Amino acid sequence: MLFRKLLFICFSIGFFLINGNSQEVKTNIDIANLKKQAMDMAASFIKAEYKTFVKFTYPRVVEMMGGEEKMISYLQKEIQQMNNDGYTFKSIDVEITTKLVRAGKEIHTLVSQSIIMTAPNGTLTANSYLLAISQNGGRDWYFVDTAPFDDLKKLTAVFPHYNFELKIPEKQLPIFNEVK
């Protein structure tokens, strides 16, 4: 009987320690709202509505780009150059992952995206991940492409409280489909 009590106590303490240290969010986050905002962000990019697109961009990133107007100007210039080179964004599909974690006062999760572009002699499909960030319990979401965060220093410079329980998958190379 004493052995069972000790076993139960040890199990309970272990369970508490494992779950007590977890930063996974166990609240009722409206995933449909998150997906809608991710889709709205993607649609604003495809439609070249950069003012709306920037509103979905994490404020620290907008600040690092020199502010809203400079970011919009940069996007317009870069997209125009891509169009001149024969590349056009056609669609962006998004899917929400199910793991949400606390990172300081924010909630973070990953959004997978599949971007399809026309290219000279074919199409390109690029699969990547966005970091979705909410600063108000999941009501509003910001998004940041994870591709630039290829080392911890860059990631923590933008997100000093980043929770490493949320693993960012490795970058994937775009897939080119030649049209004959």
Side-chain angles (χ1 to χ4, degrees):
M1 186 63 139
L2 181 60
F3 177 74
R4 280 188 176 171
K5 282 185 180 181
L6 283 172
L7 187 60
F8 177 76
I9 291 169
C10 288
F11 177 78
S12 297
I13 291 171
F15 184 78
F16 174 77
L17 289 175
I18 290 168
N19 287 316
N21 288 330
S22 176
Q23 294 289 315
E24 192 163 351
V25 176
K26 300 195 187 315
T27 58
N28 293 331
I29 297 296
D30 184 354
I31 299 298
N33 176 52
L34 167 58
K35 182 158 186 176
K36 180 189 179 317
Q37 289 184 44
M39 290 171 52
D40 289 349
M41 176 272 308
S44 68
F45 185 81
I46 292 295
K47 294 176 187 174
E49 296 170 353
Y50 300 126
K51 189 168 183 70
T52 301
F53 176 78
V54 170
K55 299 274 186 230
F56 284 110
T57 304
Y58 189 65
R60 174 83 175 109
V61 172
V62 175
E63 178 185 309
M64 292 169 75
M65 295 286 300
E68 182 178 324
E69 293 305 318
K70 284 189 178 180
M71 185 170 176
I72 290 169
S73 176
Y74 173 81
L75 287 167
Q76 290 170 331
K77 198 179 320 175
E78 290 298 312
I79 300 303
Q80 185 59 52
Q81 183 59 51
M82 290 179 75
N83 291 341
N84 292 345
D85 293 340
Y87 297 89
T88 306
F89 288 92
K90 288 296 177 192
S91 67
I92 301 175
D93 293 319
V94 297
E95 290 298 325
I96 309 303
T97 63
T98 56
K99 185 169 188 166
L100 295 116
V101 298
R102 291 213 181 277
K105 295 180 179 180
E106 300 175 334
I107 297 171
H108 293 180
T109 191
L110 293 173
V111 175
S112 65
Q113 68 175 355
S114 180
I115 300 171
I116 298 176
M117 302 173 63
T118 57
N121 304 317
T123 61
L124 277 173
T125 302
N127 297 308
S128 62
Y129 289 87
L130 301 172
L131 179 62
I133 307 105
S134 177
Q135 297 176 327
N136 58 13
R139 187 181 69 220
D140 299 302
W141 292 91
Y142 298 109
F143 303 92
V144 176
D145 189 355
T146 61
F149 303 122
D150 53 2
D151 68 47
L152 296 180
K153 189 175 181 181
K154 291 177 185 175
L155 182 63
T156 56
V158 179
F159 302 100
H161 300 289
Y162 186 80
N163 182 338
F164 291 97
E165 286 184 41
L166 190 62
K167 305 282 187 231
I168 298 173
E170 288 187 33
K171 292 183 233 177
Q172 299 175 16
L173 294 175
I175 300 166
F176 179 73
N177 293 310
E178 187 174 9
V179 175
K180 296 180 181 191

